[in-house]
Amino acid sequence: MRRWSRVLRTPVGIAGVTMLGLVLLLAVLAPLVWGDHADAVDTDNLLAGPSGQHWIGTDNLGRDLLFRVLVATRLSVALALLATAIGTTLGLLLGVAPLLLGRRVGRLVVAVVNILVAFPGLLLVLFFAVVFGVGTRGAVLAVGVAIAPGFARLVQTFVAGIAERDFVAAARIAGVSRLRIVVRHVLPNIAEPLIVNATITAGGVLLSFAGLSFLGLGVQPPSYDWGRLMQEGLSGIYIHPLAALAPGIAVILAGLAFNLTGEAIAGAFGVSTVTGTADPLPHVPAGETPEGRAAHEGTVRDDLVLDVRDLAVSFPGGVRPVRGVSFGIAAGEALGVVGESGSGKSLTALSIARLVEEPGRVDARRLTFCGTDLLEQADHDELLGTSLAVVFQDPMTSFNPVMRIGTQLAEVGRHHQGLSRRSALARAVDRLAAVRVRDPERRARQYPHEFSGGMRQRAMIGMGLMGSPRLIIADEPTTALDVTVQSQVLELLQGVRREQNAALLLISHDVSVVADVCGRVLVMYAGRIVEDLPTDALRTDARHPYTRALVAAVPDMATALDAPLATIPGQPVDPAHVPAGCAFAARCPIANDRCRTEEPVLRDDGTGHRVACWHTAEEVELLSIGTAGGLDTPSPRGSGYSTTDDGSGYSTTGDGSGYSTTGDGSGYSTTGDGSGYSTTGDGSGYSTTGDGSAGRVASASERIETKAPGEEVAR
Amino acid sequence: MTTLTPAAAPIRPAPRTRGIPGGRWTRFVVRRTGRLLVSLWVLVTASFLMIHLVPGDPVRAALGLTAPPDLVAAKRKALGLEDPLLTQYLHYVGHLFRGDLGESIQSQLAVSDTISQRLPATASLALLAFAVAVAVAIPLGVAVAVATRRGRRRRTELTFAGTSVVLGSIPDFLVGVALVAVLAVNLGWFPVAGRSGATSYVLPVIALAIGPAAVLARIVRVEMLSVLDTDYIRTARAKRLPSLRINLRHALPNAVTATLTLGGMLLASMVAGTVLVENVFAWPGLGSTIVQSITTKDYPMVQGTVLVYGVIVLVVNTLVDVALALIDPRSTIGDS
Ligand code: SF4
């Protein structure tokens, strides 16, 4: 019931339900109250225009049009509801038939429905109008039968979704009869979307019926519905346009009443598509974070390719996935960033590349790349386009599927280096050769789907080499790849870095990958750098408990390959609710009261090794980490934030929100063909938006961050 | 196509290449042609059966209660209604192949002549309206998507959403009536009815195009929005391409692929939509013919026009599928 009240809380819902109530009220009362007025003949006022006596004029017998329009409500609505009832019942039967009748007959039904829905509703209506005969009865049957296939398709889609579920499969295995499965298990689960769609369908039927009567194929005189009134009005449109317009407006309003109500119910029951109003961004002034205070203003090194001070990324609602990160990279240096998903490492990379989109907001005290201040409002496109190379995680989705690889590489040359189309393409081929793509001429003409994953990642690196990169940002460049090609891609990155003397920022959840490639590592936790140390020191001199846990979790040669994967016990911090004090405290085996109240500052020990922990000096028993929480900690999902690390940035817009009648996508499922005829449309078959991305995000969020057997940790 | 395979059923390997040699394209074309042929057969059979499904004697109904019995009998014989059903069916199909759609009961004219005379008026109307709808919807949808992305300009978004929902749900013939009342009768800018010169096209085309344009624009917007959030658009942004190129060259083709499916449905339904709009504007096309012949119970004429409408729709659907396969080689061909 709460959901029903939610219907009434939206403006659309209020408007729809109010209108629908009025329409239904009129349908009941109007003929009783005004029935006689509507038939009263006023011979003094034939075809009269609007007057005090007849507000919107009269027809050719001098009957009052306003009353006639009002009285016609009953017949119009009643016939529409009747036809809808016939159509939806028939559609429901056809829709569940495949489930009831078994596979072979089911296929036939599906095939027939598929053929029928290919025809526009109006054609079906006309066909059946002929078959059932011209007149009210024929028209009701015709419209009813004509909407059945579309509704059946919808039901089939919903049923297909339910039939795959476990409880249906279980019932089937348990030998429950088909009829019972349908009645007890399937129908209750699809009832809501069906009712919503039936409501919207009724709106469409109302319009169809008006059309049929307008053509003279529906209600016959002396009865009249809105369509009939319109037809009578049209013949006199020169003298008296309102006579045709008034019933038309009535049809539209009534149709809208059904549609809006349906949409509102859909919205309340399904996934709301409207994003909440954006909260003002909590703006933490730079320098007020502990790390900011710790960083010394004066020490600006000019050998840095990239210099980042106090970088923060925030989203509306007070979510701050990156909370003050400072570091620099020198030319030719390879710097790794490790951390769990949600640690803010990918967003850090994206914000450096200036790829964080609204409503995400990037603040920093300093952000210079090759000596250029990126925070300045200026056009940095050429610099970033030629000197910054970005390699993304998933090469499968990072190339445009409908453009040739060569073209996609050549674009950089065309737009930033002033190359002609031909020479840009030649350079693209050359670059493909440089990243050891064989037969680059032919490969350049191919589409991404003709490339293997590893090959695509090479091409992506090649794309970065179109210019002369000073910095290569590689965000999990090997995570989506086969183990066999991972090392090749890493080697390629290394080679490119050396050849070009470029800096490399390698983001990974895998400590061993970073340890192989990089000289220095930043360990990130909950949007902060918690430790910054040379890779050599990882095994020997890691001081932060989190770093040590990460390192201890890395399998070494002695580890059995089939040993179970381990995680660090406890859950990563939800960026929307960062606790006071040290963010790691909840998972830290040596946390004390100070840790829980006071946030540790990232301190440099003088050698460049930075740590943010109150207890770095203590030799800690890390034994408890591996054993305390067991191996199967829940995966860090469901915070609503999991999309962020993916770079798409906090997207709750939900425009293709699974439920096909809700989102913006619903427009086409319900309005169907614009003329209002194929009322149920084909929303079912057409759901290309939405869900795909959600699934991808879920799978992309790295569930298990560190791989190792528990014993290893506990040693 | 949705096939409802019970979850517990054993998985059978799909007979992929059986019987059909050649590449994926060949298979696609063969399969699609097969579907077209089956649909055509259903259509032809339905239109044949129509005259037999009509309650009562169709000839009696057409000629009226006062018509002399021998005239009715003669007419029935001429129409072949006395033959066995199968003979009639074969006869009907045979004549179809020769382009013979029979003869009007009312005017005695060949149905095919009437149709070929009236088809151009309908086809030009539908195609023009479709072109207008696409030409308006795609730029509009793209512009709104780009402008309102990520919660920006919420007011624009709401206005667009509201307007497009309302416009999309007003049936074309009502738009037509309103247009006639305001622009033709009151203002006298355009002819009220008939087909005479370019200006006579304006109102019917608007009436037909406005709803589909609104629907299409919404879909283009939704598709654009989802495409703009993809990884490859992020890659394009990482390349620092001009936003015009990102939106038009990188995003639009991907958005249009999905839009096209619906565009085809819209075109098909526009063809059907002409029936009502033609009646509003007394347009001398197939739409007025079909309604007239239904009211006068001129069944051969109804059969012919329904058939022609149906064939057009089926052909349009097939063409759209082929176009889809051409634009996006990954999607349509691979699976069924
Ligand atoms: S500050 Fe305290 S809670 Fe945080 S890591 Fe160090 S010891 Fe653990």
Side-chain angles (χ1 to χ4, degrees):
Chain A
M1 279 306 105
R2 267 192 47 233
R3 293 193 290 190
W4 284 103
S5 65
R6 220 182 306 160
V7 172
L8 284 174
R9 237 175 284 151
T10 60
V12 175
I14 295 170
V17 172
T18 316
M19 281 165 70
L20 193 59
L22 275 177
V23 168
L24 294 177
L25 200 69
L26 270 183
V28 175
L29 294 182
L32 301 175
V33 182
W34 298 300
D36 297 337
H37 295 283
D39 286 331
V41 174
D42 179 354
T43 40
D44 297 337
N45 283 308
L46 299 185
L47 282 175
S51 64
Q53 200 180 353
H54 305 288
W55 287 3
I56 56 171
T58 59
D59 69 0
N60 53 359
L61 289 177
R63 294 176 293 199
D64 186 280
L65 278 171
L66 179 61
F67 288 133
R68 287 179 78 71
V69 170
L70 290 174
V71 170
T73 309
R74 179 184 283 183
L75 196 57
S76 306
V77 172
L79 293 179
L81 290 180
L82 192 60
T84 310
I86 294 174
T88 48
T89 312
L90 220 55
L92 194 60
L93 290 177
L94 279 177
V96 297
L99 212 59
L100 280 181
L101 302 178
R103 196 163 161 172
R104 192 147 319 152
V105 189
R107 281 214 172 152
L108 190 71
V109 174
V110 172
V112 169
V113 166
N114 274 334
I115 287 179
L116 288 181
V117 288
F119 293 100
L122 182 59
L123 268 191
L124 296 179
V125 170
L126 287 180
F127 178 86
F128 289 115
V130 175
V131 170
F132 294 124
V134 169
T136 306
R137 197 180 55 106
V140 169
L141 287 173
V143 174
V145 174
I147 61 168
F151 204 76
R153 164 74 80 86
L154 205 65
V155 175
Q156 281 170 2
T157 311
F158 289 140
V159 166
I162 290 293
E164 303 293 313
R165 299 262 195 89
D166 289 348
F167 60 87
V168 175
R172 194 181 285 124
I173 291 165
V176 178
S177 79
R178 285 169 173 165
L179 183 64
R180 202 176 152 78
I181 290 181
V182 168
V183 174
R184 291 297 303 276
H185 296 281
V186 175
L187 287 186
N189 279 296
I190 59 174
E192 280 178 8
L194 287 186
I195 290 171
V196 169
N197 277 286
T199 314
I200 296 171
T201 302
V205 167
L206 194 84
L207 304 179
S208 309
F209 213 95
L212 217 50
S213 286
F214 173 74
L215 290 176
L217 305 177
V219 172
Q220 302 295 323
S223 297
Y224 55 94
D225 68 346
W226 287 327
R228 186 81 216 168
L229 288 177
M230 283 187 67
Q231 192 205 24
E232 290 168 4
L234 189 65
S235 54
I237 196 157
Y238 266 116
I239 316 164
H240 190 197
L242 256 183
L245 281 182
I249 291 166
V251 172
I252 292 172
L253 289 180
L256 215 55
F258 281 102
N259 272 334
L260 290 181
T261 309
E263 296 281 354
I265 299 175
F269 279 47
V271 183
S272 175
T273 56
V274 186
T275 44
T277 39
D279 294 320
L281 291 175
H283 180 62
V284 179
E288 283 193 9
T289 58
E291 199 172 316
R293 284 194 299 271
H296 296 293
E297 285 288 340
T299 55
V300 175
R301 289 165 58 192
D302 43 8
D303 62 330
L304 293 181
V305 171
L306 178 75
D307 190 2
V308 181
R309 296 287 170 85
D310 235 349
L311 178 81
V313 182
S314 46
F315 287 94
V319 184
R320 296 183 71 223
V322 179
R323 306 179 296 138
V325 163
S326 303
F327 64 93
I329 313 180
E333 186 184 0
L335 177 64
V337 182
V338 291
E340 289 165 316
S341 74
S343 63
K345 56 189 194 306
S346 285
L347 263 179
T348 303
L350 282 181
S351 51
I352 291 165
R354 311 305 280 153
L355 288 174
V356 173
E357 287 194 273
E358 284 179 67
R361 170 169 166 171
V362 178
D363 293 298
R365 212 149 39 77
R366 184 179 168 84
L367 182 53
T368 52
F369 173 58
C370 298
T372 306
D373 185 358
L374 293 184
L375 294 172
E376 235 166 51
Q377 290 296 325
D379 186 4
H380 303 299
D381 282 357
E382 201 175 319
L383 172 71
L384 293 172
T386 53
S387 305
L388 177 69
V390 188
V391 180
F392 294 107
Q393 174 171 0
D394 191 352
M396 301 299 182
T397 56
S398 293
F399 275 105
N400 193 325
V402 301
M403 286 172 78
R404 295 175 204 278
I405 294 278
T407 315
Q408 298 193 44
L409 262 69
E411 278 180 324
V412 179
R414 292 268 288 152
H415 286 277
H416 298 305
Q417 295 160 314
L419 297 181
S420 71
R421 178 185 292 264
R422 171 114 39 95
S423 44
L425 207 58
R427 177 151 176 89
V429 171
D430 177 63
R431 296 290 84 187
L432 283 178
V435 293
R436 299 202 288 280
V437 169
R438 278 202 288 170
D439 201 358
E441 294 263 358
R442 186 175 61 89
R443 286 296 197 168
R445 284 193 302 272
Q446 288 185 327
Y447 288 95
H449 72 272
E450 296 168 88
F451 274 54
S452 70
M455 213 46 118
R456 260 183 263 195
Q457 203 59 303
R458 281 159 187 262
M460 183 61 75
I461 296 170
M463 190 186 287
L465 293 183
M466 285 298 289
S468 38
R470 307 288 304 123
L471 172 65
I472 304 166
I473 297 179
D475 185 1
E476 305 270 8
T478 57
T479 310
L481 298 181
D482 272 359
V483 190
T484 44
V485 290
Q486 283 187 0
S487 59
Q488 294 174 16
V489 168
L490 288 178
E491 266 167 40
L492 183 62
L493 278 173
Q494 277 291 41
V496 166
R497 177 179 69 87
R498 285 200 203 100
E499 265 164 46
Q500 308 264 338
N501 193 30
L504 172 67
L505 184 66
L506 178 68
I507 288 122
S508 180
H509 64 275
D510 191 341
V511 184
S512 53
V513 164
V514 166
D516 279 352
V517 177
C518 302
R520 196 156 62 97
V521 193
L522 304 178
V523 181
M524 283 191 70
Y525 190 81
R528 281 270 158 84
I529 295 176
V530 294
E531 186 155 13
D532 170 3
L533 73 169
T535 8
D536 299 341
L538 270 174
R539 288 240 168 238
T540 53
D541 193 23
R543 295 174 197 168
H544 197 280
Y546 179 62
T547 316
R548 283 192 265 185
L550 279 180
V551 172
V554 174
D556 56 25
M557 296 311 224
T559 308
L561 281 173
D562 55 353
L565 298 174
T567 58
I568 296 172
Q571 293 207 21
V573 171
D574 175 356
H577 305 282
V578 180
C582 175
F584 189 60
R587 299 165 78 185
C588 182
I590 54 169
N592 62 8
D593 283 348
R594 182 179 190 199
C595 299
R596 280 180 277 268
T597 48
E598 225 179 308
E599 183 154 27
V601 179
L602 186 68
R603 277 189 212 286
D604 194 330
D605 69 352
T607 64
H609 188 154
R610 297 185 292 169
V611 194
C613 175
W614 294 128
H615 301 283
T616 47
E618 295 171 26
E619 253 330 302
V620 197
E621 296 241 344
L622 282 170
L623 291 167
S624 47
I625 289 188
T627 47
L631 298 176
D632 267 338
T633 42
S635 61
R637 261 180 284 157
S639 59
Y641 161 72
S642 57
T643 50
T644 324
D645 211 34
D646 190 59
S648 58
Y650 202 72
S651 71
T652 46
T653 341
D655 256 318
S657 53
Y659 190 40
S660 69
T661 53
T662 32
D664 240 337
S666 68
Y668 34 106
S669 73
T670 51
T671 355
D673 59 5
S675 66
Y677 282 97
S678 97
T679 44
T680 28
D682 188 1
S684 47
Y686 186 78
S687 66
T688 56
T689 33
D691 24 349
S693 64
R696 190 177 52 71
V697 169
S699 66
S701 70
E702 316 102 290
R703 249 183 73 251
I704 297 171
E705 298 294 337
T706 44
K707 307 167 194 150
E711 313 89 68
E712 178 67 20
V713 183
R715 195 185 300 144
Chain B
M1 247 180 267
T2 339
T3 39
L4 300 173
T5 318
I11 299 158
R12 253 195 331 189
R16 282 215 154 178
T17 46
R18 191 188 57 191
I20 308 167
R24 300 193 307 174
W25 255 106
T26 327
R27 285 207 301 281
F28 167 72
V29 170
V30 168
R31 199 177 51 231
R32 196 61 192 81
T33 319
R35 199 157 99 208
L36 177 65
L37 289 179
V38 171
S39 303
L40 281 175
W41 171 73
V42 170
L43 180 66
V44 167
T45 310
S47 104
F48 163 76
L49 285 176
M50 186 153 73
I51 198 164
H52 299 279
L53 292 171
V54 172
D57 179 357
V59 177
R60 168 59 72 193
L63 296 181
L65 292 173
T66 51
D70 47 330
L71 180 65
V72 173
K75 203 75 196 180
R76 280 188 67 86
K77 205 164 162 58
L79 283 171
L81 289 174
E82 307 297 340
D83 299 336
L85 206 59
L86 188 64
T87 319
Q88 288 187 45
Y89 184 51
L90 295 177
H91 199 73
Y92 181 75
V93 176
H95 278 204
L96 272 188
F97 276 108
R98 275 175 269 145
D100 179 2
L101 293 171
E103 192 178 87
S104 158
I105 299 186
Q106 304 295 350
S107 66
Q108 328 298 340
L109 292 172
V111 170
S112 53
D113 286 350
T114 314
I115 287 176
S116 54
Q117 188 199 331
R118 297 197 146 224
L119 184 59
T122 299
S124 56
L125 191 58
L127 285 178
L128 205 58
F130 184 68
V132 169
V134 170
V136 170
I138 290 186
L140 188 65
V142 169
V144 175
V146 171
T148 64
R149 213 168 150 245
R150 292 186 172 263
R152 275 181 285 151
R153 300 203 186 80
R154 285 199 59 79
R155 192 150 327 143
T156 313
E157 188 186 329
L158 290 176
T159 315
F160 171 80
T163 321
S164 61
V165 168
V166 171
L167 287 183
S169 59
I170 301 178
D172 40 23
F173 71 102
L174 290 177
V175 177
V177 171
L179 288 175
V180 170
V182 177
L183 296 184
V185 175
N186 275 351
L187 297 172
W189 290 353
F190 302 100
V192 171
R195 178 181 181 227
S196 51
T199 50
S200 67
Y201 270 90
V202 176
L203 295 187
V205 164
I206 295 179
L208 267 178
I210 211 165
V215 174
L216 210 55
R218 292 180 67 185
I219 293 151
V220 172
R221 174 178 162 267
V222 172
E223 289 301 330
M224 255 323 252
L225 284 178
S226 82
V227 168
L228 286 175
D229 270 339
T230 56
D231 287 356
Y232 55 84
I233 294 301
R234 187 178 60 185
T235 307
R237 289 198 299 119
K239 281 191 269 184
R240 317 290 150 178
L241 299 175
S243 52
L244 203 63
R245 185 170 173 89
I246 294 181
N247 289 328
L248 297 187
R249 182 71 180 85
H250 280 260
L252 185 59
N254 286 288
V256 162
T257 317
T259 311
L260 198 64
T261 326
L262 198 94
M265 279 170 55
L266 285 182
L267 177 55
S269 72
M270 262 185 193
V271 173
T274 53
V275 173
L276 276 155
V277 170
E278 282 185 17
N279 277 279
V280 173
F281 292 93
W283 194 258
L286 275 188
S288 346
T289 313
I290 196 171
V291 172
Q292 243 165 46
S293 42
I294 291 176
T295 14
T296 57
K297 303 197 164 59
D298 189 347
Y299 293 112
M301 188 65 95
V302 178
Q303 283 179 307
T305 35
V306 164
L307 200 59
V308 169
Y309 267 114
V311 169
I312 294 176
V313 167
L314 288 178
V315 169
V316 166
N317 286 343
T318 309
L319 289 182
V320 167
D321 280 5
V322 173
L324 259 179
L326 282 176
I327 292 183
D328 193 351
R330 295 160 309 156
S331 61
T332 9
I333 296 183
D335 54 329
S336 61

